Structure formats: C-alpha cells, structure tokens
Amino acid sequence: MVSNISIVDSRFSDISSAVLKNYNSFNYFDISGQNRGDAFPESIYLCDLIDADGPNQTVLDIARQFRYDIIDEHNLLCTMFVYYPSNNGHINWHTNENLDYYNAICTYSQSGNSFFEYKNGEETIRVNDDVGWSVKKTKWSRTNVVPHRAVSNDHRITITFSSSVESEVDAFIENITTP
C-alpha cells in the first residue's frame, strides 16, 4: 500500500517557492505516442528541473544544490526531479522495471488536485496528492513490476530519491518527516 506522509524539512518549501515563482519561463518535455517498452511512458508533459534546457537559471541552481545536499547527506540517487504544469501535466503508465530501487517519491501539490496511480493486479489504486509536500515509498524492479502514472491538474513537483538499500530510503523518509 502506497500512502502519503507529510514532509516537514523546510528545504522542500524553498524548492516549491522557487518553482512557483518561475514556472512561466520553463521549457517543457512533451512526448506522445512513443512506445519504448513498458518500463518507459509513451506520453509525458513536464519540466525536468535539473536539465539546463528546462527551468530558468535560478530554479536550476536551487534544484541542483538541493539534490547535491540530499545525496551527500543520505547516500541516495536522485532519479527524478520534475515540475508538472497545472494544465495536462503528466507521466503516462510505465513500470520502471529496468531499475531495482526502493524509492522515496517526494511530491508537492498546491491544491491537492493531482494524483499518483498504480496497478495492484487488475485493480487501479489512486493516491491523491496532499496539499503541500508529502512522501510515499515504493519499490520498482523486474521482480516487482508495478505499472504507475502521475497526473496533475494543479502545480505539482516530484523529486524521487532512490537506493537499492531499503534502510537508506527509510532513514531518509524518517529524517524529512520528523520535526
């Protein structure tokens, strides 16, 4: 079961503030109808916040420093750092089965009008985003294939930190959710 836990680490608020002040100047990654296998989505509309061609320099600098600080503190990989625009922002169904990681998926939603969905057998389970920052833990691998997607009808930011060591992800989640 995937559920949201509120993030209290103030560095996350700094990221969302910078993104929300600057999102009108971003370049968006927009692909549609490209079948690249189940591990990869065939449709995406988002801005990669650590790609020099995506956000403006202010956001790029803040996002990169934030990512480096977390990686240095917690020995994690940053596998995703994106902004979903409020109009049709999304990453379509995919599995990430090409990876073998435990993940801390950190998500910001301005109004809670966005969601993460995953398949559990034939059942589709929707996890609505909480207002503000929250984190959910997942596991992707070839032996744990989980189709999932994210849809944004509001400003949404997702930062995913990953490790092949579950205790490293658990320690990170504990650190960012404990006052």
Side-chain angles (χ1 to χ4, degrees):
M1 179 67 155
V2 175
S3 60
N4 295 321
I5 304 169
S6 293
I7 294 174
V8 298
D9 187 321
S10 64
R11 295 176 295 181
F12 285 85
S13 295
D14 295 342
I15 292 292
S16 51
S17 292
V19 169
L20 293 177
K21 287 179 189 170
N22 293 281
Y23 71 89
N24 284 323
S25 65
F26 294 172
N27 295 319
Y28 294 95
F29 187 55
D30 187 1
I31 65 167
S32 182
Q34 296 183 13
N35 188 351
R36 302 177 299 156
D38 288 343
F40 304 100
E42 65 180 43
S43 177
I44 297 174
Y45 185 58
L46 51 79
C47 175
D48 185 343
L49 293 175
I50 54 175
D51 178 354
D53 294 329
N56 64 27
Q57 193 62 47
T58 300
V59 173
L60 181 64
D61 291 344
I62 292 168
R64 284 183 174 170
Q65 186 60 53
F66 174 83
R67 179 184 67 165
Y68 295 138
D69 289 347
I70 297 293
I71 289 170
D72 287 348
E73 289 172 23
H74 296 280
N75 195 32
L76 300 171
L77 298 170
C78 181
T79 52
M80 181 179 230
F81 203 132
V82 299
Y83 165 75
Y84 297 88
S86 60
N87 183 14
N88 195 33
H90 67 277
I91 186 166
N92 206 5
W93 291 104
H94 62 289
T95 63
N96 291 344
E97 66 191 65
N98 57 319
L99 305 173
D100 189 13
Y101 290 129
Y102 294 92
N103 307 285
I105 303 175
C106 305
T107 303
Y108 171 84
S109 178
Q110 190 174 41
S111 70
N113 192 9
S114 55
F115 60 87
F116 173 85
E117 282 184 328
Y118 66 98
K119 302 270 187 183
N120 183 7
E122 296 298 314
E123 182 181 12
T124 300
I125 299 167
R126 178 177 288 191
V127 180
N128 291 315
D129 291 337
D130 292 339
V131 173
W133 279 102
S134 62
V135 62
K136 51 191 143 297
K137 181 179 165 187
T138 62
K139 169 71 167 133
W140 316 132
S141 71
R142 285 184 183 5
T143 58
N144 188 41
V145 177
V146 180
H148 58 281
R149 72 178 184 145
V151 174
S152 178
N153 298 305
D154 190 9
H155 300 286
R156 184 179 201 266
I157 302 165
T158 296
I159 311 167
T160 303
F161 293 100
S162 305
S163 175
S164 58
V165 180
E166 185 174 17
S167 61
E168 290 175 353
V169 171
D170 290 342
F172 170 69
I173 291 172
E174 178 73 20
N175 182 264
I176 64 173
T177 60
T178 304

